[in-house]
Amino acid sequence: MTSSFEQMRANVGKLLRGIDRYNPENLATLERYVETQARENAYDLEANLAVLKLYQFNPAYFQTQVTSQILLKALTNLPHTDFTLCKCMIDQTHQEERPIRQILYLGNLLETCHFQSFWTSLEENRELIDGITGFEDSVRKYTQVKVWMNKYGWTENDEGQIFIFNQEESVKPKNIVEKIDFESECCHRNPSHISHRVFYLFLYLDVKAEYSHTSLIVFLFTGVSSIMATSQ
Amino acid sequence: MVINVCSVHFQYDPYTYPNDYDLHTGDPKADLAYERQYEQQTYHVIPEVIKNFLQYFHKTISDLIDQKVYELQSNRVSSESIEQKIYEIQDVYENSWNKLTDRFFKNSPWPEAEAIASLVGNGECIGGPTLDQRFESYYNYCNLFNYILNADGPAPLELPNQWLWDIIDEFIYQFQSFSQYRCKTAKKSEEEIEFLRNNPKIWNVHSVLNVLHSLVDKSNINRQLEVYTSGGDPESVAGEYGRHSLYKMLGYFSLVGLLRLHSLLGDYYQAIKVLENIELNKKSMYSRVPECQITTYYYVGFAYLMMRRYQDAIRVFANILLYIQRTRNMFQRSTYKYEMINKQNEQMHGLLAIALTMYPMRIDESIHTQLREKYGDKMLRMQKGDLQVFEEQFSFACPKFLSPVVPNYDNVHPNYHKEPFQQQLKVFAEEVQQQAQLSTIRSFLKLYTTMPVAKLAGFLDMTEQEFRIQLLVFKHKMKNLVWTSGISALDGEFQSASEVDFYIDKDMIHIADTKVARRYGDFFIRQIHKFEELNRTLKKMPASTTTAAAVTTTARAV
């Protein structure tokens, strides 16, 4: 059974092609599509941005309710910067209207990781997220930084603070090794001479003894003699 | 299928307009102006495309004369280059000239000599164009695009790519200029305001979009690009029009035009999306007009910056700044172009400075040096969290944002035209403020490897609670969406290639620093070049001494 979201998505896709996306007559469909996303916990950034653009071109058609839904849906896609993209397309005057102003405030709390304040604030304004299925779950996923921690164990203590464990494997001092492929680096400087020969300059240097890397300086340079030989 | 680019009404199907170029709209004022355009004896408004044509023509003839003089002075016989020049002039005169005359000067003579003289002597229009001029320019463009899009079969015009780019570029520039102009009602006469009020269609955003989209569609440029990047032959999908260079290149430049237009309206997602079939990192047959490349990278870089894709923004800016550095000598042709590129060069340095402050990473040494020279001081202040410097940099370097909406002429307050810019600035400033502490935290993190969280919080003058929150913000903001593969510049995966990374184990913070090994590569490359120079010099010396000297030099260097 295809949800109405799936059914609409194909249709909306057509509307967004070419010059049709600027036709205000398509607003009604696109607005219904936003509503569907909210209800069915689905998401389509491009379509939502198209709605905001139509509001931008046709201020008389602006709808606070739809804009609010779009912003809330954008928050469910954190850590993507959809929320920022939406802000760039909403007029200053509208940003100060309720409930958009509240939603922007909530967004700011999430972006600055003030999660406790966020949940408290949300409790006081529960009606904001009416109709947005799965909003809290999505946000919770973001705050629990699952995206970052999926390989490692993470736990949450009573206060909802996140402790990041067992990062030893991934968070290590990095040593940037310089590897030069003469084909690419030198080509633009002096194509005629070196491009047809491939040299590798390999240098490995380590300074963090406590992590038990062997300090090893290997120096391979096969260049000068060959150049001299072929130039004669 | 007829596309009347100047009157886009969504109430009717735009494709069923009567088939003519005649722009008699039924509005008496507009019609009168239209008639005037074809009746006047002296023609003050010279469309940009004509300007370019005249400049090109003038240059070709000048070059020819110079060449001839040189030849005579050095007593040489007519060379091939002169033949080539003559052929060029003939071609220009017979073909392009006639077509342009046909299009623009059917019923009136070409502009008087004085008008042209000022052009090719690099004279400039002072005081900015008047409302009438803007109006007529709009109709000239409509004429041109209607002709190109509505011809029965591809228009028999062969114009250099540079011109085609200029046409699109100038078209959008004039739209931009007009949008700003109409918002500033303070110094306008009643008559002018009345005229604006009665002609909302002039330089209407829908018309501009319509032109660009129509050119994209007509040329099948997206399909062509898809096939091209997958190694196929674009001609197979080009279609009747797209096969011609005129349409293909106009289609391509229109994509860049859309990138620009969407950026000016604050729609960064759509801006990058329209380029989804263009591989930005590859040189292609489409990327030969330098101004087009520079404009493309500027807007893409800016969009990335606003989307908080700092790594991508830095990569893009560094690339194009290198490109400009290398091709600087080519831009002597016309003064105003050179200045424009200079300006964009400066702006991109400014944007790069911002991006590197938010997201320090290694970039090309020569660009980094240049950046430090220009913005070293400003970058230091930004690192200390000086919001004002951020805003100044942004104001200098950002595009000239505009509103697509016709203002309410009865009620326009003095700073109305600045609102679009203020809006984007606000979003940017908020982002900067959210990241205000991160620079300081980063510098502290670099000093230690392990430390109790509470202690480090103390050093930073924060409560432990607040510090832990800031560490989360650090992790969050330093996680960028980064393009790694695929064609579309929108693609990307989350990466955290921050210079400094850390994890927290109960009450201790463990910090990992990224150490960059000394760069020996550059040093050796330089030495190799020196040796080659030396070798070349030595070879010119008497044979017996060469080998011995070379061997000695090698031994010494290694």
Side-chain angles (χ1 to χ4, degrees), chain A residues 173-189:
Chain A
K174 289 196 202 103
N175 302 298
I176 306 282
V177 168
E178 187 176 18
K179 199 167 164 198
I180 299 174
D181 178 351
F182 269 52
E183 286 284 350
S184 56
E185 276 231 16
C186 298
C187 256
H188 60 257
R189 297 183 212 225

Side-chain angles (χ1 to χ4, degrees), chain A residues 87 90 108 148 164 203 231, chain B residues 423 430 434 504 520 539:
Chain A
K87 277 199 283 188
I90 300 173
N108 196 38
W148 303 332
I164 305 156
L203 177 68
S231 299
Chain B
Q423 186 181 345
E430 262 167 18
Q434 286 174 353
I504 303 175
Y520 288 87
K539 272 170 104 172

